């Protein structure tokens, strides 16, 4: 029913503890607990936006604990833009949009390294505009002719 990681798959590039320490460093959080809260809320929010093979493949790249947070979420029927993602995260956590954006950047910068450039490009193709910046990437869109 849910896209759960399998125990026989290859191990992710880092453990959950290493991921938390990396997020703690990236976000300049004072404690491991604060970094873990950011990881859990941002991955849950991302899990509500990702579907299909990209969701499964990203879960495979993450430590099991992080993959379970991502895949435990039922995808929303409404796909949010990058800014909508931040506003939704702020509303759900009671944080300001600035804090939600900070948390998102700290977590997704680590997630982007774990995913690698190929998977990250696939994920960004399937999400609405505004997510590339959240993952620490340039937002590259093809120009459309104005008639």
């Amino acid at each position: 029913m849910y896209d759960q990681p399998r125990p026989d798959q290859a191990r992710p590039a880092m453990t959950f503890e290493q991921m938390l320490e990396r997020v703690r460093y990236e976000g300049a959080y004072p404690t491991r607990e604060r970094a873990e809260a950011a990881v859990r809320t941002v991955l849950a929010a991302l899990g509500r936006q990702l579907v299909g093979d990209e969701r499964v493949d990203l879960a495979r790249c993450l430590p099991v604990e992080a993959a379970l947070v991502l895949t435990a979420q039922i995808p929303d029927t409404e796909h949010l833009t990058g800014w909508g993602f931040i506003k939704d995260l702020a509303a759900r956590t009671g944080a300001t949009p600035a804090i939600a954006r900070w948390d998102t950047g700290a977590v997704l910068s680590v997630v982007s390294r774990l995913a690698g450039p190929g998977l990250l490009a696939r994920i960004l193709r399937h999400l609405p505009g505004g997510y590339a910046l959240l993952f620490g990437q340039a937002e590259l869109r093809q120009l459309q002719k104005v008639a």
Side-chain angles (χ1 to χ4, degrees), residues 58 61-62 110-120 123:
L58 180 58
C61 296
L62 299 174
V110 175
V111 169
S112 70
R113 281 186 233 127
L114 289 170
L119 176 55
L120 183 58
I123 289 169

Side-chain angles (χ1 to χ4, degrees), residues 128-133 137-141:
Y131 281 88
L133 293 173
Q137 305 293 307
E139 183 79 36
L140 302 175
R141 296 273 186 197

Side-chain angles (χ1 to χ4, degrees), residues 10-118:
R11 297 178 71 80
M14 65 176 64
T15 66
F16 188 60
E17 289 74 25
Q18 290 169 328
M19 182 182 189
L20 294 179
E21 282 305 313
R22 175 65 25 207
V23 169
R24 182 178 176 191
Y25 176 79
E26 293 289 333
Y29 297 117
T31 64
R32 181 185 176 279
E33 291 75 21
R34 178 64 184 92
E36 184 171 355
V39 166
R40 290 186 182 281
T41 57
V42 171
L43 287 180
L46 185 61
R48 290 189 292 276
Q49 295 300 308
L50 279 180
V51 296
D53 291 340
E54 289 71 30
R55 177 184 171 108
V56 173
D57 292 345
L58 180 58
R60 287 184 185 138
C61 296
L62 299 174
V64 172
E65 299 89 335
L68 289 172
V69 172
L70 178 84
T71 59
Q73 304 304 308
I74 297 171
D76 284 342
T77 55
E78 178 187 352
H79 294 289
L80 302 172
T81 64
W83 176 238
F85 180 89
I86 296 299
K87 290 191 309 186
D88 181 65
L89 186 60
R92 288 175 186 265
T93 61
T96 65
I99 291 172
R101 174 61 180 94
W102 184 270
D103 289 349
T104 299
V107 174
L108 294 186
S109 67
V110 175
V111 169
S112 70
R113 281 186 233 127
L114 289 170

